[in-house]
Amino acid sequence: QKEVEQNSGPLSVPEGAIASLNCTYSDRVSQSFFWYRQYSGKSPELIMSIYSNGDKEDGRFTAQLNKASQYVSLLIRDSQPSDSATYLCAVTERGSRLTFGEGTQLTVNP
Amino acid sequence: GAGVSQTPSNKVTEKGKYVELRCDPISGHTALYWYRQSLGQGPEFLIYFQGTGAADDSGLPNDRFFAVRPEGSVSTLKIQRTERGDSAVYLCASSYGTSYEQYFGPGTRLTVT
């Protein structure tokens, strides 16, 4: 079983819709959770971090964490074509290596 | 401020050669990480420095790979006797103190022919 699993994708949504990206992790000691956005040919860019159960909102992005279910998600509201990218879920124990999922490719159609 | 920088941006080398990849972290960041990413995969951890010392090198695939950070700032990843399977994008990230947010550099694309 992979340590971090994401929707296999690709995911395609129309402009203005909500995009929902999901991630599950296997290691119960994981304490910190991150979403990175990666455009084709570029490096990962941190867009959200979440450390405690519940929701965290930042602009059009909402991260949701449920440690009991070992589940973290990212919602993108009012999706724009510029949101088209691969979204990487990453988890870590305290201040150490990030373990990434394989990523979900999102396409927002105008 | 300036982000993480990596040089070179691209490196093409022949099988069996030695390469060095450099990472300059964000100023003041004490933790530095190396990852590598193959096409269609998420980044894979290689090694982590806290200050000058390697806090965790368990991700290095074999003894051909070595990394240093002698003054606690710039780090160099060294690969001996390169193999075609080493071809990937090598990413460096840094974080500040006890903050767990890691910020990535642009990466070095290594191609072994």
Side-chain angles (χ1 to χ4, degrees):
Chain A
Q1 181 187 1
K2 293 179 184 174
E3 293 182 58
V4 179
E5 296 204 42
Q6 298 186 237
N7 308 66
S8 57
L11 177 65
S12 182
V13 300
E15 184 174 356
I18 296 175
S20 177
L21 304 161
N22 302 313
C23 173
T24 58
Y25 60 95
S26 59
D27 193 346
R28 287 195 172 272
V29 302
S30 298
Q31 296 189 357
S32 305
F33 307 86
F34 306 91
W35 284 98
Y36 285 83
R37 178 176 62 198
Q38 188 171 29
Y39 292 115
S40 181
K42 302 295 185 182
S43 63
E45 173 192 8
L46 179 66
I47 55 171
M48 287 290 283
S49 58
I50 187 165
Y51 304 103
S52 55
N53 282 327
D55 294 0
K56 179 181 177 182
E57 186 174 319
D58 184 0
R60 295 185 296 111
F61 298 98
T62 299
Q64 300 173 317
L65 175 62
N66 183 325
K67 289 187 178 180
S69 300
Q70 295 176 240
Y71 174 91
V72 58
S73 67
L74 179 70
L75 299 178
I76 306 174
R77 291 181 300 281
D78 188 25
S79 296
Q80 301 297 309
S82 59
D83 294 328
S84 298
T86 295
Y87 289 81
L88 296 161
C89 172
V91 307
T92 186
E93 296 179 51
R94 192 178 299 274
S96 64
R97 66 169 72 184
L98 291 172
T99 301
F100 285 87
E102 293 190 347
T104 299
Q105 186 177 341
L106 171 67
T107 300
V108 180
N109 301 303
Chain B
V4 178
S5 62
Q6 293 187 246
T7 55
S9 56
N10 281 283
K11 176 70 176 179
V12 180
T13 190
E14 293 180 348
K15 179 176 178 297
K17 299 291 188 183
Y18 168 83
V19 296
E20 289 189 351
L21 311 179
R22 175 188 166 108
C23 172
D24 199 342
I26 293 171
S27 178
H29 279 195
T30 57
L32 184 148
Y33 307 79
W34 284 99
Y35 297 83
R36 73 176 175 181
Q37 187 175 26
S38 300
L39 194 64
Q41 304 293 316
E44 175 190 25
F45 171 78
L46 296 176
I47 186 170
Y48 152 50
F49 289 89
Q50 184 62 260
T52 60
D56 181 358
D57 65 356
S58 61
L60 295 176
N62 52 59
D63 61 5
R64 296 187 298 104
F65 288 75
F66 189 71
V68 295
R69 194 186 186 200
E71 297 178 355
S73 179
V74 171
S75 176
T76 304
L77 178 65
K78 308 180 180 193
I79 310 174
Q80 299 178 319
R81 304 184 303 280
T82 52
E83 299 177 356
R84 293 193 181 89
D86 299 334
S87 297
V89 175
Y90 287 79
L91 295 163
C92 177
S94 68
S95 67
Y96 176 72
T98 55
S99 167
Y100 311 140
E101 297 182 346
Q102 297 181 23
Y103 297 90
F104 283 83
T108 294
R109 181 176 298 277
L110 176 66
T111 303
V112 182
T113 62

